[in-house]
Amino acid sequence: MIELDGFGLLRPLWLLAIPASLALAFVAVRRAGGVGDWRRAIDPHLFDALARRGVVVAGRGRSGLLAALAAALIALALVGPAIERPGVQNFRNLDAAIVAVDVSRSVADSGEFQDAKIAALGAAQAAGSRQVSVLVFAGDAYLANPPTTDRRTIETTLAALDAQTVPDVGSAPSRALALAHRTLRDSGVVGGDVVLISDGGGLDEGAQNETRSLVADGHRVSALYVTSATATPKRAMETGRPELEALAALGGGAFATVGAPDAVYAEVQRSTAGRLGPSPYASLAWLDFGRALLLFAAAPLLLIFRRGG
């Protein structure tokens, strides 16, 4: 799907059929005024005799042009030009966002932890009118804020986070992703965003499997990297970062650092219609003009059968 400022093409691969339609029109023009395949179907001397008697009349090629026009309109209809339905953001269960914040020691003691909390609030605000949940995790994961549109409540929750928020030692992002998935499923959300804020600690095959499961259900996973408190100055941007970036790529989302989170904000800010475009719920978000174009395609097809064409 292609989306641009409230206008979208739901099935853009069908654009490839339009050049074929133009080629058909070119052939029709080249053959206009001829007698088609009659010369091959009739013996030459018989054809010449019929032509002298005025029985053979060259066509004007109109049927070929009309067929090409109909084919182009049908191809354009299949492309699915559409506009975003007004008020689509009011369907509360179409999409939501979940911000999962790592509060393990390696993150909470990091010099970037305050930036991480600010970035988490920024992600919640980027979600606009969508409902947002906040999860916190270390050795286990907990729901700090159920789905809500009250950003002040979220701000209060994030401000209170510290190394004592979660008593479980360690870092288990797989549990945070599993809880995020369960929260989206219980809320009936069909296309949500999960933003994982972490130093990349504890990322394992379980986290990858949870990410794949989220993607399979139509959700996206983005990630914001926090420099670990245990990282050495020379490797401050390497410890855990490649793994976290790979997880975001697997989740179909964006990756950024808490110091420069704009890429993740842009992903969360994508319109509801844009996020749901490829899903079975596209008709709720997009007004597809393809059916109307099919009616226009019927007009040249009917003209083909007019007498004298």
Side-chain angles (χ1 to χ4, degrees):
M1 178 190 163
I2 299 174
E3 181 204 3
L4 180 63
D5 293 333
F7 176 79
L9 300 177
L10 302 181
R11 299 170 290 273
L13 287 178
W14 279 101
L15 286 170
L16 298 175
I18 295 180
S21 303
L22 296 176
L24 177 62
F26 176 76
V27 172
V29 171
R30 288 288 301 271
R31 298 186 62 181
V35 291
D37 292 328
W38 284 112
R39 287 190 180 276
R40 288 185 294 176
I42 302 176
D43 291 336
H45 66 279
L46 178 58
F47 183 88
D48 292 339
L50 291 172
R52 285 194 298 271
R53 296 184 60 182
V55 176
V56 178
V57 180
R60 290 169 291 184
R62 185 174 63 186
S63 296
L65 285 171
L66 291 173
L69 176 60
L73 288 173
I74 291 172
L76 187 58
L78 290 171
V79 168
I83 60 173
E84 187 175 344
R85 291 183 183 275
V88 68
Q89 67 275 10
N90 295 327
F91 291 96
R92 303 184 77 185
N93 286 348
L94 284 181
D95 64 348
I98 293 182
V99 180
V101 184
D102 188 344
V103 292
S104 60
R105 282 285 183 181
S106 61
V107 173
D109 292 342
S110 168
E112 295 183 356
F113 186 51
Q114 188 62 32
D115 291 336
K117 294 196 285 185
I118 293 172
L121 180 60
Q125 292 172 338
S129 62
R130 302 158 67 192
Q131 290 191 313
V132 178
S133 298
V134 175
L135 307 182
V136 293
F137 70 96
D140 204 348
Y142 301 90
L143 184 64
N145 272 123
T148 180
T149 58
D150 186 352
R151 300 300 185 259
R152 289 191 175 184
T153 299
I154 292 175
E155 183 177 3
T156 300
T157 298
L158 292 173
L161 298 182
D162 56 28
Q164 283 74 46
T165 301
V166 175
D168 308 272
V169 178
S171 183
S174 60
R175 296 196 176 190
L177 292 169
L179 179 56
H181 197 180
R182 189 160 60 249
T183 302
L184 291 169
R185 185 171 56 246
D186 291 346
S187 300
V189 174
V190 299
D193 279 295
V194 177
V195 179
L196 183 68
I197 301 177
S198 170
D199 62 352
L203 289 176
D204 54 15
E205 187 176 351
Q208 295 174 358
N209 290 337
E210 292 294 345
T211 299
R212 292 189 185 97
S213 181
L214 281 160
V215 171
D217 283 351
H219 310 302
R220 289 151 306 281
V221 178
S222 296
L224 285 167
Y225 175 72
V226 186
T227 302
S228 173
T230 61
T232 62
K234 290 184 178 181
R235 300 188 60 193
M237 296 301 288
E238 297 179 10
T239 306
R241 175 169 178 161
E243 293 83 357
L244 193 62
E245 190 168 3
L247 190 77
L250 181 64
F255 173 83
T257 66
V258 293
D262 290 347
V264 169
Y265 290 174
E267 177 67 22
V268 177
Q269 284 173 339
R270 286 176 58 200
S271 71
T272 299
R275 288 188 296 272
L276 299 180
S279 77
Y281 298 89
S283 60
L284 294 176
W286 292 100
L287 181 59
D288 188 352
F289 293 106
R291 296 180 181 88
L293 287 173
L294 286 176
L295 292 177
F296 283 104
L301 290 175
L302 291 173
L303 290 175
I304 290 175
F305 297 99
R306 289 184 60 193
R307 293 178 62 87

